[in-house]
Each structure stands twice: as structure tokens, then as C-alpha cells.
């Protein structure tokens, strides 16, 4: 290695957090910018990948087929001096509304860039790996964490820029309701669903934008959970009704809808469905209340055997990455184990 040169990286480990998609602002783009999304980064669901230099291309673990497609594109675009071996240690559940596709793509892209010294440019990576077609909140969650808002897609293209990021109060909890019998729309079915939607009225888009800027965001800053929840619930009703024609109702899962209606009857306004679902969520002001609700829900809805409940926190940081440099043979001291791992955000 040349004196003063950066160490050659041997392996990279990246952890990418899941996110909730809390709704669109302007699906039809009445003022030119289409969609516009708000989302929340979650603490307890991650995709974790580890990438090593190799002689070919290989991936193993959950989601390996999708991962190989991303790797082949990156190898074709950059033609690095070595191949790669990818281990997927953990992956966010697919097609349940937690952003698994974007987090897997960006985890792989970030690891690849660190391994071969390629600068991390989120917009460029999104274009290369076909992410951010409608929403930028998955990219925002990966990069920044917290509560994020993107500004929608401009008429000329480009991925939706992040326009706001706020921390989520550490005392609040998110109750998740999963339905193991269903999957959210994705791929060609998702594209066809968007084509079937009617135009979203400009007056409704203006009202949702007002709710985001003048209700949800101030309530978050002031840690006012009832007002934040009321704004999110209002946005969810408008967006859910707009998408009802494509998913069979305001919520994709009737069982999840039943649970959410019961939670709302307990004076909790911040309920909704993340993305195409079927996962539902409720925003709760304390861990104690969240656990009490889950305990009661498990008894009340025991007849829905496919339902599963989870409690998580917001995550106020984006992805993390660990790199391990290659150690030259003549630099190894057998009396001093290698402790050269370092951590970068």
C-alpha cells in the first residue's frame, strides 16, 4: 500500500432501517410536482447486509435474487477490480409496506460504494437502482432517519427531494398490525393501480399540504401526540379513500381495518395503513399504553389467527455502516488481534 493512501477496504456491513409511508400529499400533481410523501423511520426492523471482495458475484440470504440484480447493475456500471460476495443477514419483510425494496437497494449500493471508494450520491444511486419512482421518503429514512417529507417529483423527472426532517419523540410508540394472509400491491400490479386512479382534486391536495405544514409538523416539534395523530389520521382517510378503488377499501386488509377501528374508538386518532399495506399502524403517546392496547387486542381479535402485533419506536438516525480494511500480511501482529473495524454514518 502506498504511504498516505487510504486503506483498501476488505468488507462492509450496512444496516438500513424500515419506514412507514404515512401518505401522499398530491397524487395527481395539480401544481406540477406529483405525489409528495411523508414517512417515519422505524427502530426495530432492518435490512442488514455484509459485502466482501471476491472473485465473482454471489449473494446468499433472504432476498438474494433481488440483491443479485442490483449487484450486476453496479458491477456493469463501475467495473471494479474485484468481484463481490454478499451476505444478507436480515431483511425487512417484503410487500407489507415497510420499504423493503428501497432499503435493500440502498444498503447494497452503500456497501458497494464503500468497498470500492465510490462517492455516495443518493440521487445517482436511486436512478441506477430504479428507486424513488414516486416517493423519496425511503431514501430520506436511509440517509437521515426521523420523520421525513419529500417534495414530490418534478415534471422533468429526478427523484423526489427531501424537504423536511424532524426527530420523532423518543417516548412515543408505533403499534403495528400485520396480516399474514395478505401482501400489498407491487410491481406491475402497482403500476396498473396508479393508472386506474381518478384525478386527485387540487382542493384536497391543498388541504393535505396545510395539514402537513400547519398541523402535523408543529405538533411533532411540540411533542403533542393527539394533534399529530389527528393530522396523520385525517391525511390517511383522504388518501385511503382515494386508493380504495385499487385496494378494495380504505384499508387493504379487512382484519387490520377492524383492529384499527377498535383502536380509534379508544380515542387514538393517529391510525392508518403504510403504503399499500396490508400493515396498519397506530401512533401511541407512551410505551405503557401501547403494551396495554396490544394485550387487549390479542384477546379481542384472537379469532383472526393471521394477525400479528408489534410495538416499535421511531428511529432518529439513518443507516449505519461498518468498514474493515484489509491488513497486509507483513503488518499482522499475532500478539495483537486486529481491532481495526471502524464505524461511519
Amino acid at each position: 500500500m502506498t504511504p498516505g493512501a487510504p486503506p483498501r477496504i476488505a468488507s462492509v456491513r450496512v444496516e438500513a432501517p424500515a419506514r412507514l409511508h404515512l401518505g401522499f400529499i398530491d397524487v395527481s400533481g395539480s401544481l406540477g410536482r406529483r405525489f409528495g410523501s411523508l414517512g417515519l423511520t422505524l427502530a426495530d426492523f432492518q435490512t442488514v447486509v455484509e459485502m466482501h471482495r471476491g472473485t465473482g458475484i454471489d449473494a446468499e440470504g433472504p432476498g438474494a435474487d433481488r440483491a443479485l440484480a442490483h449487484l450486476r447493475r453496479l458491477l456493469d456500471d463501475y467495473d471494479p477490480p474485484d468481484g463481490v460476495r454478499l451476505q444478507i443477514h436480515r431483511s425487512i419483510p417484503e410487500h407489507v409496506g415497510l420499504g423493503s425494496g428501497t432499503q435493500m437497494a440502498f444498503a447494497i449500493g452503500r456497501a458497494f460504494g464503500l468497498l470500492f471508494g465510490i462517492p455516495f450520491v443518493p440521487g445517482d444511486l436511486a436512478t441506477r437502482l430504479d428507486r424513488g419512482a414516486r416517493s423519496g421518503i425511503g431514501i430520506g429514512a436511509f440517509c437521515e432517519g426521523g420523520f421525513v417529507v419529500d417534495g414530490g417529483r418534478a415534471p422533468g423527472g429526478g427523484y423526489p427531494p427531501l424537504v423536511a426532517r424532524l426527530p420523532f419523540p423518543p417516548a412515543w410508540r408505533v403499534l403495528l398490525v400485520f396480516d399474514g394472509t395478505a401482501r400489498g400491491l407491487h410491481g406491475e400490479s402497482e403500476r396498473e393501480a396508479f393508472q386506474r386512479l381518478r384525478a386527485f382534486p387540487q382542493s384536497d391536495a391543498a388541504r393535505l399540504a396545510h395539514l402537513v405544514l400547519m398541523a402535523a409538523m408543529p405538533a411533532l416539534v411540540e411533542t403533542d401526540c393527539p394533534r399529530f395523530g389527528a393530522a396523520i389520521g385525517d391525511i390517511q382517510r383522504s388518501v385511503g379513500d382515494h386508493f380504495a378503488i385499487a385496494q378494495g377499501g380504505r384499508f387493504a386488509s379487512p382484519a387490520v381495518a377492524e383492529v384499527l377501528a377498535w383502536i380509534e374508538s379508544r380515542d387514538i386518532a393517529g391510525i392508518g395503513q403504510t403504503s399499500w399495506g396490508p400493515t396498519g399502524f397506530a401512533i401511541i403517546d407512551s410505551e405503557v399504553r401501547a403494551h396495554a392496547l396490544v394485550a387487549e387486542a390479542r384477546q379481542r381479535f384472537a379469532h383472526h389467527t393471521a394477525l400479528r402485533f408489534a410495538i416499535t419506536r421511531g428511529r432518529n438516525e439513518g443507516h449505519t455502516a461498518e468498514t474493515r480494511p484489509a491488513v497486509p500480511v507483513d503488518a499482522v501482529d499475532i500478539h495483537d488481534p486486529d481491532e481495526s473495524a471502524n464505524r461511519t454514518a
Side-chain angles (χ1 to χ4, degrees):
M1 184 172 67
T2 304
R8 185 175 184 268
I9 301 300
S11 67
V12 182
R13 182 184 176 98
V14 176
E15 176 188 286
R19 58 90 182 120
L20 295 182
H21 192 294
L22 300 177
F24 288 116
I25 298 170
D26 188 352
V27 178
S28 300
S30 57
L31 293 178
R33 302 193 70 94
R34 193 177 180 194
F35 301 116
S37 305
L38 51 155
L40 174 64
T41 314
L42 299 180
D44 297 312
F45 298 85
Q46 306 92 21
T47 287
V48 179
V49 305
E50 189 169 352
M51 189 178 296
H52 304 259
R53 291 179 185 265
T55 56
I57 175 173
D58 180 57
E60 59 181 27
D65 290 344
R66 176 184 286 189
L68 279 172
H70 295 318
L71 283 174
R72 289 190 181 103
R73 179 165 304 182
L74 292 169
L75 288 165
D76 287 345
D77 286 352
Y78 290 105
D79 191 24
D82 300 301
V84 294
R85 179 169 56 88
L86 180 71
Q87 294 174 293
I88 304 167
H89 295 291
R90 188 160 67 251
S91 65
I92 297 164
E94 292 186 348
H95 312 312
V96 298
L98 298 183
S100 62
T102 294
Q103 300 311 306
M104 177 66 79
F106 264 66
I108 290 169
R110 180 65 166 137
F112 186 90
L114 286 168
L115 198 64
F116 296 113
I118 300 166
F120 179 50
V121 182
D124 179 62
L125 187 59
T127 299
R128 290 179 187 277
L129 300 182
D130 295 326
R131 309 313 305 173
R134 283 172 288 273
S135 171
I137 60 163
I139 300 167
F142 183 86
C143 295
E144 302 287 343
F147 173 84
V148 290
V149 182
D150 77 61
R153 289 183 65 87
Y159 87 101
L162 194 68
V163 296
R165 185 269 179 196
L166 292 171
F168 193 74
W172 295 4
R173 294 294 182 267
V174 180
L175 193 163
L176 299 175
V177 187
F178 298 96
D179 182 350
T181 66
R183 287 292 182 267
L185 293 176
H186 58 279
E188 187 58 34
S189 297
E190 181 182 23
R191 286 186 285 272
E192 291 175 358
F194 272 105
Q195 292 172 0
R196 293 198 304 270
L197 295 177
R198 60 181 172 81
F200 196 71
Q202 185 178 18
S203 58
D204 288 354
R207 190 177 70 83
L208 296 191
H210 190 261
L211 279 169
V212 172
L213 183 61
M214 299 303 290
M217 291 174 66
L220 202 56
V221 172
E222 295 171 345
T223 62
D224 188 333
C225 193
R227 288 186 182 276
F228 178 76
I232 296 300
D234 198 347
I235 292 165
Q236 280 282 318
R237 285 189 291 274
S238 292
V239 175
D241 289 346
H242 183 73
F243 282 87
I245 190 174
Q247 61 184 16
R250 182 178 292 175
F251 302 106
S253 163
V256 170
E258 187 180 343
V259 176
L260 294 180
W262 171 76
I263 292 175
E264 190 173 29
S265 75
R266 307 297 297 271
D267 295 325
I268 294 172
I271 63 164
Q273 172 181 290
T274 173
S275 187
W276 289 106
T279 306
F281 66 84
I283 298 167
I284 315 295
D285 60 0
S286 74
E287 184 171 10
V288 170
R289 191 177 189 191
H291 279 286
L293 280 167
V294 167
E296 188 173 352
R298 284 177 175 149
Q299 291 185 343
R300 178 177 290 268
F301 300 101
H303 57 289
H304 289 303
T305 57
L307 288 181
R308 185 167 63 88
F309 301 91
I311 297 169
T312 186
R313 298 168 290 110
R315 171 170 165 152
N316 288 320
E317 63 174 350
H319 74 285
T320 59
E322 274 182 49
T323 62
R324 184 173 292 275
V327 180
V329 174
D330 59 1
V332 174
D333 182 348
I334 61 173
H335 301 291
D336 183 16
D338 176 23
E339 297 179 352
S340 59
N342 61 81
R343 190 175 182 87
T344 62

